[in-house]
Amino acid sequence: MVDSPSPSKNLTRVFHHCRNLFYSEQWKMVIFQIRSPIMQEKSQDFVDRLIEWIKENSIDKIVILTGISDYMRNDSEIVGPSVKSVVSPTFAEKCEALKRLVENQTSDPQTQSVILYDASQEPKKISMHGGGISWKLFNACNVGGVAALVLMKYCSDGDNIPDAVKLCTYLNTLLNLVPFDCDWESPPSWTGMFGNPPQLGLY
């Protein structure tokens, strides 16, 4: 989520599902992470409350970052880009980089990295297998008039640190949050994610 003047209203009512919630006064930005899946029967209630909170706090636009299942790609998606975005027209108008991507990409769906989705169009489901509530949240934002963007990266099981770095780098090219030559700092918990390296004497 970005561009929030002061996201103070009813935080606990909405974000009790989240373990990580951060607000930057300097950047006028709220960042939260959903670290475990939301129960399917509760997901719509969560999305409804979140949209209500977004509107109450006059948040200008939101970005949803998610991984999606690599093994669910169809033939046309395999040859396409590994990072794709679904964007509402209102968000695209606020982001020059996205507007250029939409204008310059070819008409071939296999090579397109940006899907411009208008709520006034015929309803359709965009494939986000493994992306949790990403589609439901994006669609609710789009219908509710909230500028929204989904950035999704195809991921496989295992070490997804390179996927996270690529997703953050792609986001930075769109929103220009930090210098492009910066080194991303990994959380300390990532160092022990897969245990110690194997002993060389085993080989």
Side-chain angles (χ1 to χ4, degrees):
M1 289 185 181
V2 290
D3 293 350
S4 169
S6 180
S8 58
K9 298 180 182 177
N10 301 319
L11 276 171
T12 56
R13 178 172 63 87
V14 178
F15 294 108
H16 62 276
H17 291 286
C18 306
R19 290 290 188 90
N20 297 98
L21 174 65
F22 308 94
Y23 172 62
S24 169
E25 181 69 32
Q26 176 185 357
W27 292 97
K28 304 297 182 184
M29 180 183 298
V30 178
I31 300 174
F32 75 93
Q33 179 183 15
I34 301 176
R35 300 187 63 177
S36 58
I38 297 173
M39 296 174 62
Q40 186 172 358
E41 59 268 24
K42 299 290 185 181
S43 61
Q44 189 60 55
D45 178 62
F46 176 77
V47 167
D48 291 342
R49 292 187 182 193
L50 183 55
I51 295 296
E52 180 184 352
W53 180 84
I54 289 170
K55 292 182 175 180
E56 284 179 357
N57 288 278
S58 302
I59 290 178
D60 183 58
K61 53 185 177 289
I62 78 164
V63 177
I64 305 162
L65 304 179
T66 184
I68 54 178
S69 301
D70 190 56
Y71 68 89
M72 295 294 291
R73 300 169 80 172
N74 57 41
D75 291 345
S76 63
E77 292 170 333
I78 288 175
V79 299
S82 63
V83 177
K84 289 191 173 184
S85 54
V86 182
V87 59
S88 66
T90 50
F91 194 106
E93 285 299 316
K94 298 172 185 287
C95 181
E96 289 295 329
L98 268 175
K99 282 198 291 186
R100 289 194 297 270
L101 283 174
V102 173
E103 292 169 357
N104 295 331
Q105 67 182 358
T106 68
S107 58
D108 183 0
Q110 292 187 7
T111 63
Q112 290 180 352
S113 63
V114 182
I115 302 171
L116 188 64
Y117 185 79
D118 191 339
S120 64
Q121 295 174 345
E122 185 71 22
K124 60 182 178 180
K125 178 68 180 292
I126 295 174
S127 175
M128 296 185 187
H129 297 289
I133 64 168
S134 299
W135 168 252
K136 187 174 288 188
L137 178 55
F138 171 80
N139 196 45
C141 289
N142 207 4
V143 172
V146 178
L149 165 70
V150 179
L151 284 183
M152 46 190 179
K153 171 74 173 67
Y154 288 109
C155 299
S156 300
D157 292 336
D159 184 359
N160 296 125
I161 293 176
D163 298 314
V165 172
K166 186 167 186 176
L167 198 59
C168 288
T169 302
Y170 191 90
L171 175 64
N172 192 49
T173 62
L174 298 179
L175 301 185
N176 195 23
L177 300 173
V178 295
F180 294 125
D181 58 351
C182 76
D183 292 325
W184 296 105
E185 183 177 346
S186 302
S189 59
W190 286 10
T191 58
M193 189 180 302
F194 297 99
N196 296 322
Q199 297 181 11
L200 295 179
L202 296 175
Y203 303 98

